């Protein structure tokens, strides 16, 4: 597995900017659209659970589970961006992830933030 399997985030061409900060330097908030979120729940397949169980006995990174969580987070972020875009926003401020166990063997990942319309400072 290469490093690209463990990354995420936006491409430079993204039409909705997503940041973890309260503001964007050089821009001002023109309108607060409101809270947006993207949610997904994923379960691990039996093969990865067995592999993870064996790996946990000897220690080390559970790469299959790491890759699954990255894919899950990226899907949640895509849904957040889709919701922000549909509501007329061009940015999401204060972006965060929340991960919880939905049930044994399944993780709920929620991406959330505040959708806004920003414009460059004049």
């Amino acid at each position: 597995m290469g490093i690209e399997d463990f990354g995420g985030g936006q491409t430079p061409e993204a039409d909705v900017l997503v940041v973890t900060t309260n503001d964007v330097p050089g821009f001002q908030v023109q309108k607060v659209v409101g809270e947006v979120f993207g949610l997904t729940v994923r379960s691990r397949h039996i093969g990865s659970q067995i592999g993870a169980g064996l790996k946990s006995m000897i220690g080390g990174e559970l790469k299959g589970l790491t890759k699954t969580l990255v894919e899950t987070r990226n899907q949640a972020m895509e849904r957040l961006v889709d919701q922000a875009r549909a509501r007329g926003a061009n940015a999401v401020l204060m972006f965060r992830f929340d991960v919880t166990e939905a049930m044994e063997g399944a993780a709920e990942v929620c991406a959330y933030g505040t959708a806004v319309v920003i414009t460059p400072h004049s």
Side-chain angles (χ1 to χ4, degrees):
M1 291 183 186
I3 192 66
E4 66 277 357
D5 293 324
F6 298 101
Q10 295 187 289
T11 63
E13 303 83 34
D15 63 328
V16 175
L17 179 65
V18 178
V19 297
T20 59
T21 56
N22 295 336
D23 53 22
V24 179
F27 289 80
Q28 59 190 26
V29 174
Q30 294 296 316
K31 177 183 177 184
V32 174
V33 176
E35 180 187 17
V36 289
F37 67 91
L39 180 68
T40 186
V41 178
R42 293 268 181 106
S43 66
R44 298 183 302 236
H45 64 76
I46 190 69
S48 71
Q49 287 179 322
I50 292 170
L54 294 173
K55 184 72 172 187
S56 68
M57 290 191 293
I58 60 171
E61 181 182 7
L62 307 174
K63 289 187 178 182
L65 294 178
T66 300
K67 185 175 178 183
T68 298
L69 187 54
V70 168
E71 291 168 353
T72 304
R73 288 173 61 133
N74 288 342
Q75 182 179 46
M77 185 173 177
E78 287 170 14
R79 290 178 177 175
L80 167 124
V81 168
D82 288 346
Q83 187 181 66
R85 185 184 301 113
R87 295 179 60 193
N90 66 353
V92 176
L93 304 179
M94 299 177 291
F95 171 73
R96 302 287 187 268
F97 281 112
D98 187 31
V99 180
T100 58
E101 186 175 25
M103 57 183 254
E104 188 174 336
E108 171 194 359
V109 176
C110 183
Y112 62 96
T114 303
V116 298
V117 175
I118 58 173
T119 57
H121 283 295
S122 44

